Amino acid sequence: MSSAPETPSALDVLLSRASTDQLGLPAPDKGQIARILSAGLRAPDHGKIRPWRYIVIKGKNRAGFAEKVVEAMLAADPEVPEKKIAKRRQRFSEMPMTIALVMALNPQSKIPVAEQELSVGAGAMNVLNALHAEGFGGFWVSSDFAEQACFRDALGLTETQRLAGFLFVGTPEKPVGGSKRPDIQDYMAVYKGEPVKFEADQ
Ligand SMILES: Cc1cc2nc3c(=O)[nH]c(=O)nc-3n(C[C@H](O)[C@H](O)[C@H](O)COP(=O)(O)O)c2cc1C
């Protein structure tokens, strides 16, 4: 008699996450994405700034959003290669879901802006882990064109809001998690009263 497979622990889930941009349907539904993004709001947040904002782009709004991306790319660099435009247009219109990671920063706060940005990064990582835990996949990409006024206006960003990138979201087309990682012993050190050295830096 075969025994039921063991449920992976929370740590097993964290240790098996990997990014993938080979993503198909389904994307998380309304309830699922609300729960997954709630994991983002579990990020540490010095001073209760609450700097996380998530814009969900899905379904029929993807194509129009992709055109805003192209418009911003051209505003940033009119000479941008056609190949780069085609790739981004395709990804933003075909990924099952995209989440724009907005950093709602408070420059007046005594909490350094860098800490506020780190909180948004920590939130994004929680979202990637939550996606993985729920059987979905994600891939964090940069938003080098996002400072363009046309793009900021299209998203309704205020003066103190900036993007930390985008998460592409969907169901992995093949299993993830097998990618090789460095050995932790090269990246950790135990302090023994002397300056530390990391194997990774030798
Ligand atoms: C802020 C940020 C921006 C990133 N931007 C890109 C990007 O534009 N293109 C890309 O190929 N990877 C980008 N990456 C890396 C991928 O999201 C991913 O981490 C990488 O492919 C390694 O996969 P792993 O997460 O399984 O280690 C970015 C990562 C971070 C944290």
Side-chain angles (χ1 to χ4, degrees):
M1 204 174 75
S2 66
S3 56
E6 249 182 67
T7 310
S9 71
L11 185 56
D12 290 333
V13 173
L14 295 182
L15 290 175
S16 61
R17 188 212 68 87
S19 300
T20 178
D21 59 356
Q22 290 175 273
L23 297 163
L25 290 167
D29 66 22
K30 214 171 149 187
Q32 287 170 318
I33 198 63
R35 251 174 83 69
I36 287 165
L37 294 178
S38 297
L41 274 55
R42 288 278 166 176
D45 170 26
H46 192 183
K48 291 201 168 36
I49 303 284
R50 313 233 189 281
W52 335 274
R53 303 286 186 279
Y54 301 105
I55 303 174
V56 179
I57 302 112
K58 59 179 183 167
K60 61 179 171 28
N61 289 303
R62 293 174 298 172
F65 184 75
E67 293 314 311
K68 302 286 178 201
V69 169
V70 171
E71 200 185 320
M73 289 172 73
L74 287 166
D77 175 12
E79 313 275 287
V80 63
E82 184 52 45
K83 218 173 141 186
K84 199 169 170 185
I85 292 183
K87 185 177 175 192
R88 285 229 173 108
R89 176 181 277 127
Q90 187 187 15
R91 290 181 117 191
F92 280 94
S93 53
E94 292 181 7
M95 286 292 167
M97 178 182 275
T98 296
I99 312 274
L101 300 167
V102 181
M103 303 186 284
L105 304 168
N106 181 352
Q108 262 78 52
S109 167
K110 65 178 186 350
I111 308 301
V113 165
E115 290 190 14
Q116 302 175 36
E117 293 169 339
L118 284 169
S119 180
V120 175
M125 189 66 243
N126 261 10
V127 171
L128 285 173
N129 279 322
L131 285 166
H132 175 56
E134 294 296 294
F136 296 105
F139 197 95
W140 191 343
V141 290
S142 310
S143 49
D144 49 345
F145 50 82
E147 282 304 310
Q148 299 304 309
C150 58
F151 194 73
R152 296 179 58 80
D153 291 348
L155 288 187
L157 299 186
T158 67
E159 197 117 301
T160 52
Q161 293 181 340
R162 291 201 346 257
L163 282 201
F166 302 94
L167 300 182
F168 291 141
V169 172
T171 297
E173 283 169 348
K174 48 185 191 220
V176 297
S179 62
K180 195 161 163 28
R181 300 284 152 165
D183 185 339
I184 183 57
Q185 297 307 331
D186 295 346
Y187 289 83
M188 65 180 284
V190 178
Y191 182 66
K192 292 178 179 159
E194 300 289 336
V196 298
K197 278 206 172 90
F198 296 97
E199 277 304 317
D201 302 325
Q202 301 315 302

